[in-house]
Amino acid sequence: MLQFPLPGMDRSTPQPSLPRYRLFLAVLLPDDAGTQLAALAQELRSEYELYGTALDRNRMYVSLLSLGDYIEFPYDVSRWVQNHLKAMRLTRCTANFDRVSSLGDRSHRPCRCPIAVRAGAGGRGLKEMQRTIASSFGIARRSSFTPHVTRCYDHQNIR
């Protein structure tokens, strides 16, 4: 029996590369906040019967702005962003992370849902920082931005 390849599926056709690098801006948390959130992650695992591993301390940050996904590392974009941020005058802010939930609507399929602590009204300063940077960079900002710190990934949703 002969089997012919479907158009575009033969091995001689180069396959498109998937992005390997995600560039984004984030705010690192102070050490004391990171320590508190690391302890909270363990409490959440017990309280909600989560099986996902808590993320390392070096993964405790608040993502502010996505700068895109890239196949090769975008050194030119990275340098531009670094130089631009050095010239900006951003003010220090505080945030109160006061609730826990899954991010996004993942109810339609099983997945590794991100479980995060989120800042409600206590996240105004971070929202303003995101708005300022996005405007300065000429990037359309997501109006639904909620400051959060992802603590683990799990197969269940927390609402």
Side-chain angles (χ1 to χ4, degrees), residues 17-123:
S17 296
L18 295 175
R20 293 180 47 205
Y21 300 95
R22 173 164 288 159
L23 197 60
F24 62 95
L25 292 178
V27 174
L28 295 176
L29 299 177
D31 287 338
D32 59 332
T35 301
Q36 290 173 357
L37 287 176
L40 176 63
Q42 295 308 320
E43 291 174 27
L44 292 174
R45 293 181 76 223
S46 296
E47 183 177 344
Y48 293 101
E49 298 180 4
L50 302 174
Y51 296 101
T53 303
L55 298 176
D56 291 338
R57 168 67 182 93
N58 64 353
R59 301 258 327 254
M60 286 194 223
Y61 53 79
V62 179
S63 298
L64 288 180
L65 199 61
S66 172
L67 300 173
D69 294 333
Y70 300 87
I71 295 170
E72 299 292 330
F73 187 81
Y75 289 101
D76 55 337
V77 174
S78 176
R79 276 190 296 277
W80 183 88
V81 167
Q82 289 176 39
N83 291 333
H84 201 75
L85 285 172
K86 285 177 187 174
M88 292 181 75
R89 298 283 183 228
L90 297 172
T91 58
R92 181 178 293 261
C93 65
T94 61
N96 180 23
F97 295 93
D98 56 1
R99 51 196 165 130
V100 176
S101 69
S102 300
L103 301 178
D105 179 18
R106 307 275 202 284
S107 59
H108 60 283
R109 62 182 167 83
C111 68
R112 287 177 24 101
C113 298
I115 311 294
V117 290
R118 302 173 80 158

